[in-house]
Amino acid sequence: MLTHSRTRGFARQVGTIAVTLVGLLILTFVIGRLMPADPVRAIVGEEATQDTYMQVYQELGLDRPLPVQFLMYLRDVVTGDFGTSIRTGQPVIHDIAAVMPATLELATLAILIGATLGITMGVIAAVKKDRWPDQLIRVISLAGHSMPIFWTGMIALLIFYAWLGWVGGGGRIDDYFIGLVPEVTHFILIDAALAGEWEVFWSALNHMILPASLLGYSSSAYITRMTRSFMLDQINQEYVTTARVKGLSVRQTIWRHAFLNIRVQLVTIVALAYGALLEGAVLIETVFSWPGFGQYLTSNLMIGDMNAVMTCVLLVGVIFIALNLLSDVLYRVFDPRTR
Amino acid sequence: MTYQARLRLTVAALALAATPVLADTPDNQLVVGFSMTNILTLDPAAITGKETVQVLANVYDGLVQLDPVNRSEVQPDLAERWDVAEDGMSITFHLREAEFASGNPVRAEDVVWSFKRLLTLNLAQASFLKTYGFSAEGADAAFAAPDERTVVVTLPQKVNPQLIIATLGIVGPGSVLDSVEVMEHEENGDLGAAWLAQQSAGSAAFVLQQWQSNNLVLLAENENFWGEKPAMRRIVWRHIPESQSQRLQLERHDLDIAFQLAPADLTALQTAEGVKIQTTPSAGFYYLAMSMADERFQDAKVREAMRYLIDYKGLNEAILPFYGTEHQRPISGGFFGLLEDPGYAFDPEKAKALLAEAGYPDGMDVTLRALSDDPFLNLATAMQATLAQGGVRAEVITGSGDQIYGAMRERKFEMLVGRGGGGQLPDPDSNMRALIYNPDNSAEARLTNFQGWRTSFYDEELNRLIDAAASEVDVEARRQMYADIQNRIDEVVPPILPFSEVVTSAGYRDDLEGFVVNPSWSTDLSTVSKNR
């Protein structure tokens, strides 16, 4: 009986995911078609004659009715064919496989920085509620949240790259090193380490640290606020008072008891923040000339390269659903009551 | 260690760390910053826009090349010399001995094949040749290779042969491909288009090593290059969409050349140490356009009134530095036959009088379209103010390229601030065809590549003069024809009023030598060296 209901639950979940994804695709397709972007014009240019325009229009299949175009797209997707990008002339999957590692690498470093900073500040703010550390942290995280990231990006580049020369400028790596390391995983840090090219490794890290810190800082704002409020809930509970009465130090009470109880909620928060970073730190990628997913998605959106855009949106959907599932699983691991 | 000693050490360490370490670009590599947003392919037959031309000019040779300084001249490239037949209906090119990067010899057959391929694919670059009557069907008759080193181009219609020679100097329509190499990679009869989007098959100083969309283009030295060995072994083209990032990297010497700097950054760089700026006229104009599909603008007096509501000086001095320079004739600077500017000036009283004469004593309400990017939005806002002084109340509509130029192509606009007007082909005919010429004004003709058609402007006499000037061989007679054309334009006031000529500005390190920006975008980087 139990197994049966579990199977039904699982089936329902898969069904929901499929419906969500198809809905997402329909929405993207419609928005893409309503958008004033003309892929044919992007291909043929301003000066092309009408016969050239029509030739490409037909080659792209844009002369067919919209529902037919959509159904054909869906049919191809189901068979694993995500189409070819107008921008690169390559299969979209191939393109995404090339740009995603750049974003993954950056986002992972960023979330490590953001979570460490955010959780630490959040806990301190809760413990020192309404005292100066709390106020200071509030200002720091508010600033991180409210300053436009392209602006912070430019200022940080000006200070740390142009004036101080501590970090590398735009791009993933110094120009001398381009093409030196064979691209195995497309993760430049990993590829450099595999090849034993440590100079390349440091150059890549040097280029990555500034954008990752900025992204980390900006996502830490949200993590800090949430950690603080979760923590305050715990601190006001009786078990904390009991622990203190029993003679545990503040540090032990906070980290060994209260903190363990907010892990579950934190996982969700951090997973969502990570998802948001993967979806594309478009502005930071532009400022730092970072050849990642965000830039790929937006530049293709601008020219109406719908195969690329739809696949990207689908991927973002899948990433969010996966992160949600992951945090569900982690809930079960961390919270025995949910088992 | 005493406290003081420790403090001193810390301060010293901090000071050391704070001293910027200037990392020069490598001596034998050129690092160029530009925007790759418009690069969709590197197939010379399919490219559009300036950026691809900048790259491919260093990968593909043509029979001839456009002179970067004297815009009316062409220089030999793969063709050592050429002769024009007495009747002016054919041109014979004599090829030099050269090899493609693959090691295959450059044969006349490759040249002919490249032109036929261009016309068969019928993509963006084909329009340059189609303008002068070339077509896929007529290609066999138009291009012939009587022997390995001779190419004969037979003109399908009477055109001044110099025009065709110059057209073949443009990167794209004139690029010569290694037919053997390309056909080895043909798929489903695509004439190698899919392969060429990512690879190269040329004979110029560099060969395409790698293209990563919106990231970088790597060019490596072509070991088989027939000309003088370039000083640079590699050119790294980096996609840096942000102008300020380009500026910082140029200042820090992480870039040698920055091609896409915004005027604010160019202004700041003028005083920067170690950086130079080169500004050259480029293709096209900034203009105010009106649609003659709107009956108000069918009256020449109304169009003339608009001529006096443009603040030529103000726009060029306040908004357009590094974008354009004041220019009122629809023929590019330095081109054959260009007359002096007529000297129109902002004169709202004169405009009002003209509008009153045309039956609009209370002025009129119009919409004024402009791209939402720089400098168009600023131009439109400034123009709105000057139009208002003449009683023309303009509502500014902004949008993306497809919204603004799209509306123009559909003839659904009233007024528009735009940019365009030919000039990549260094001959006044190119400007005339882009801006004025319109052989068929019917809606069905859909000649959207002619701005004359887009603005519904049709003047039989101008069409006739433009065609006649294009085919005239006698230099003085041709010069007189362009003078007549410009005078007639003064008189009939076509609905496109240029007020500035587009310029290209590049910032570069002062240790570069031999760097000359080509007005037709095809800047040759094989001549660049570093003096360190």
Side-chain angles (χ1 to χ4, degrees), chain A residues 27-28 80 86 90 93 99 101 119 121 131-132 143 167-169 176 199 215 236 241:
Chain A
L27 199 68
T28 316
I86 289 173
Q90 298 291 306
I93 284 297
V99 296
I119 293 173
M121 290 202 304
R131 299 193 349 235
W132 71 263
V167 297
Y176 330 87
E199 262 190 290
L215 284 175
N236 294 329
T241 322

Side-chain angles (χ1 to χ4, degrees), chain B residues 3-289:
Chain B
Y3 170 75
Q4 268 206 331
R6 223 180 302 158
L7 184 72
R8 227 176 277 149
L9 202 68
T10 315
V11 170
L14 277 175
L16 200 68
T19 311
V21 188
L22 278 178
D24 282 356
T25 54
D27 288 349
N28 58 359
Q29 295 187 29
L30 196 66
V31 186
V32 183
F34 74 145
S35 167
M36 286 171 58
T37 312
N38 293 328
I39 301 189
L40 304 188
T41 174
L42 291 175
D43 177 349
I47 55 171
T48 59
K50 178 162 73 176
E51 296 80 10
T52 31
V53 173
Q54 285 173 332
V55 174
L56 293 188
N58 295 285
V59 176
Y60 291 95
D61 286 317
L63 289 172
V64 294
Q65 55 185 325
L66 303 175
D67 193 293
V69 181
N70 188 342
R71 292 184 87 175
S72 299
E73 283 188 11
V74 291
Q75 301 296 339
D77 202 3
L78 283 177
E80 283 176 313
R81 58 195 171 81
W82 51 92
D83 325 301
V84 175
E86 266 184 29
D87 64 355
M89 291 306 286
S90 71
I91 312 158
T92 306
F93 293 92
H94 305 281
L95 305 191
R96 70 175 74 241
E97 203 165 320
E99 279 180 7
F100 288 107
S102 64
N104 294 331
V106 175
R107 303 162 306 159
E109 208 178 299
D110 294 300
V111 179
V112 169
W113 182 85
S114 301
F115 297 151
K116 287 183 182 169
R117 175 180 187 272
L118 176 85
L119 290 164
T120 309
L121 288 176
N122 190 26
L123 289 168
Q125 298 296 315
S127 58
F128 282 101
L129 284 178
K130 277 154 59 183
T131 304
Y132 299 115
F134 292 92
S135 64
E137 300 75 40
D140 283 335
F143 304 106
D147 64 57
E148 283 249 309
R149 293 279 178 73
T150 312
V151 175
V152 180
V153 177
T154 307
L155 311 192
Q157 64 191 44
K158 191 154 172 47
V159 180
N160 183 329
Q162 294 308 323
L163 264 175
I164 304 303
I165 296 169
T167 301
L168 297 179
I170 299 176
V171 174
S175 298
V176 174
L177 281 66
D178 181 345
S179 64
V180 177
E181 174 86 4
V182 175
M183 288 311 278
E184 275 174 18
H185 299 94
E186 190 188 34
E187 284 169 32
N188 310 322
D190 73 344
L191 296 173
W195 183 77
L196 270 179
Q198 304 260 342
Q199 309 287 335
S200 69
S203 56
F206 295 92
V207 49
L208 175 65
Q209 200 176 33
Q210 196 182 15
W211 167 45
Q212 290 177 5
S213 176
N214 276 1
N215 184 17
L216 57 85
V217 177
L218 285 184
L219 302 185
E221 185 190 343
N222 171 8
E223 305 286 345
N224 292 322
F225 181 47
W226 52 270
E228 202 175 318
K229 189 177 161 66
M232 298 293 128
R233 288 196 53 77
R234 190 157 93 146
I235 305 178
V236 181
W237 298 78
R238 297 219 5 238
H239 174 56
I240 309 176
E242 244 332 289
S243 164
Q244 292 177 25
S245 303
Q246 280 195 26
R247 173 180 149 195
L248 287 181
Q249 293 186 39
L250 186 65
E251 283 177 328
R252 290 266 311 151
H253 212 164
D254 278 341
L255 282 183
D256 293 308
I257 300 171
F259 268 123
Q260 238 116 8
L261 291 162
D265 295 311
L266 284 161
T267 311
L269 281 173
Q270 277 179 315
T271 51
E273 204 179 314
V275 176
K276 282 187 185 170
I277 291 168
Q278 205 176 112
T279 300
T280 43
S282 183
F285 310 93
Y286 290 96
Y287 58 67
L288 176 66

Side-chain angles (χ1 to χ4, degrees), chain A residues 4 10 29 36 76 87 91 115 121 175 217 243 263 311:
Chain A
H4 183 62
F10 180 71
F29 189 81
D76 291 346
R87 174 173 294 286
M121 290 202 304
D175 295 313
Y217 175 43
R263 275 184 317 183
T311 312

